[in-house]
Structures are given as C-alpha cells and as structure tokens.
Amino acid sequence: MSDHARYLSEAVQLAADNVCDGGTPYGAVLVRGDEVLARVANNVHTTNDPTGHAEMVALREASRRLNSRDLSGSVMYASGQPCPMCHAAMRLSGIREGYFANAAATAGKFGLLGAEIYAELCRPLDEQPMRLKHLDVPEATAPYAAWKARKDQA
C-alpha cells in the first residue's frame, strides 16, 4: 500500500470513528515529509463551531504545533473533498498538494454538503443564495496601505 493510500485510509477511519461518536463522516491526516502533523476528525458536533471541519482542525493543530502558519511542503489527506473554505485555508497555509477519498458529488448522494456549494460560489454575487454586496467606504484601503508600508519596512 502506498503512503497516499495509507494516509487516506487513516482519514476514512477517523471519519468512521467520528460517526460512531455522533459526528459527521469527515477525517483528515496532515503530513510533512515523514511526520504526521495532525490526525483529526470534524468537531462541529462537539464545539458548535461551523468551521470545525477536519481539514480546518488539522491546519489549526499543525500551526500551533509548529508555531507557524506556513505549512508549505505539507500534504493533506481528507476522507471527503475539501469544501471551498477548507480548500482556501489549505492554500493560504502554503499547502499545494492534497488527496481525498470521496468526491463532493458522493457526499451529496448521502445528504451531506455536496457539489452544489461549489457551483453556487461560481455564480455572480447577486445570483448566490447568500447576499454579499460591495459597498464603497471612505478610507477602506487604509489598513491595506498600512500593512504594505509595514511589510516594505521589514
């Protein structure tokens, strides 16, 4: 069995165990080199935190463990296809490789969040179910300029 298959099997087992504990069928294993940085399951049911997806929990745990938000070189193994939030967080952390055992379309067939969220987010803002609108505010870019100035001085 390849390392990829082994880590994906671990993620699926974490998902199965989580269902037995009252949670949803999502688990994740985050690996860098030969080191497992996190083995976790979705914890929304115990924390009431809607961002407690397995991949997000893995990112938080690994970042605390390494005392760094840069997880470049790490590989995410997830029991299900990462949702857009998890996918974006993985990218923001520097992860450039990941594997999943079940596609979003498969999850949808079982009544879980499916591929429809990906399609919704591709629509123009005014056609999405959640209304998100841009409003011009004076000095809105001031925090961006301050951040860039601080970064340029470093």
Side-chain angles (χ1 to χ4, degrees):
M1 178 184 282
S2 73
D3 284 346
H4 296 314
R6 183 168 47 88
Y7 291 131
L8 268 180
S9 291
E10 284 187 46
V12 169
Q13 185 59 56
L14 288 163
D17 293 345
N18 202 42
V19 170
C20 291
D21 291 339
T24 53
Y26 295 105
V29 179
L30 184 59
V31 179
R32 182 189 279 170
D34 292 333
E35 181 181 11
V36 174
L37 300 176
R39 280 184 180 92
V40 299
N42 178 304
N43 66 13
V44 173
H45 67 293
T46 58
T47 64
N48 292 316
D49 177 354
T51 69
H53 295 195
E55 301 90 339
M56 298 293 283
V57 176
L59 295 173
R60 289 178 188 128
E61 185 174 306
S63 293
R64 277 192 301 270
R65 182 174 176 187
L66 299 174
N67 196 31
S68 175
R69 63 181 175 214
D70 182 4
L71 301 176
S72 299
S74 299
V75 179
M76 182 70 76
Y77 297 91
S79 62
Q81 184 175 353
C83 74
M85 172 186 68
C86 293
H87 188 147
M90 290 162 54
R91 292 284 308 273
L92 289 169
S93 72
I95 293 175
R96 295 293 180 255
E97 185 178 2
Y99 300 87
F100 58 90
N102 289 293
T106 303
K109 290 177 186 176
F110 289 90
L112 295 156
L113 181 64
E116 63 276 353
I117 192 167
Y118 297 92
E120 287 175 1
L121 292 173
C122 289
R123 292 186 205 155
L125 287 178
D126 61 349
E127 294 177 17
Q128 294 182 18
M130 184 184 90
R131 295 293 177 228
L132 188 61
K133 297 179 183 183
H134 172 253
L135 296 176
D136 284 321
V137 177
E139 300 300 320
T141 61
Y144 292 169
W147 174 82
K148 185 176 185 322
R150 186 188 74 214
K151 182 179 167 202
D152 290 346
Q153 289 177 353

